[in-house]
Every structure is written in C-alpha cells, then in structure tokens.
Amino acid sequence: MAAVSKERAKRRAERAAVVARERAVAERRRQRRAALRRLRPSLPRRRRTGRLFARRSRAQRAGIAALTVVLLALVWLLVEPVALRIALIALSLLVLPAVVVIALGRRT
C-alpha cells in the first residue's frame, strides 16, 4: 500500500514540475513581449467608427444614391438602343466613384 502512495506522490510531483516549467516558460514569454512592446515605438492605432460607410454622412449617401437612380432612369428612358443603354449604365457605374471623390472630397 505504501508503494502505491509513493508512486502516486511521485507522479503528482512530476505533473507539478511540468506545470511549473510551463508557467515559467509562459512568464518569460510574457516578459519578453512586454519588453519588446516598451522598446518598439507605438504608432497611434487607426480607430474604426463601427459603421460601414463612415466616410460619408447619411445625407451624402442618400444624395449619391438618388442621383445615381435618376441618372440610370434618364439613360434608360432617353436612350433607345439597348446596347447603348447597357454601355452607358455600365460606364456611369464605373465613373461614379471617381465623381463622388472629386465632388465631395476625400476625408481620411
């Protein structure tokens, strides 16, 4: 019976030693990272606003959408050939982001 207790105690001591080694390694790693963080110059982090379209106000986005719909409707109603309609709609959708940036400015 005493031999079983000694075996159990020995295994428990080995497990405790392994856990202590792992904790020591983790502590050294944490200290190393903290030292590197202190040495490395910190840059200000880019903060996110949490909104998908934060560059433009809600009114600007609504205006862009409304003007786009009006432009597409005008092209659809005033241009007869279907191929030309599709080409003008595709061209206007490709040029729209550049026009928005030029007209409303680029806020960073």
Side-chain angles (χ1 to χ4, degrees):
M1 190 74 166
V4 173
S5 286
K6 288 182 182 180
E7 278 292 318
R8 224 180 292 143
K10 184 179 174 184
R11 277 188 256 136
R12 187 172 39 245
E14 288 171 355
R15 281 194 309 268
V18 168
V19 168
R21 264 194 307 270
E22 290 172 354
R23 283 187 183 153
V25 167
E27 179 64 23
R28 281 195 304 269
R29 184 180 303 130
R30 190 190 62 74
Q31 287 177 351
R32 191 175 329 125
R33 286 182 181 160
L36 285 174
R37 235 187 331 265
R38 282 192 303 270
L39 292 175
R40 192 178 314 138
S42 64
L43 298 174
R45 294 186 180 194
R46 283 181 75 177
R47 289 186 168 65
R48 299 278 181 174
T49 60
R51 290 177 26 196
L52 185 60
F53 301 109
R55 275 194 191 171
R56 310 268 177 244
S57 69
R58 182 173 289 173
Q60 285 176 328
R61 291 193 310 267
I64 292 166
L67 287 176
T68 303
V69 169
V70 168
L71 175 69
L72 295 178
L74 284 175
V75 167
W76 193 260
L77 293 174
L78 298 178
V79 177
E80 279 301 314
V82 176
L84 184 59
R85 279 183 188 173
I86 293 172
L88 286 175
I89 289 173
L91 181 67
S92 63
L93 291 177
L94 284 173
V95 172
L96 179 69
V99 171
V100 167
V101 169
I102 291 169
L104 297 177
R106 186 174 184 161
R107 296 188 323 219
T108 54

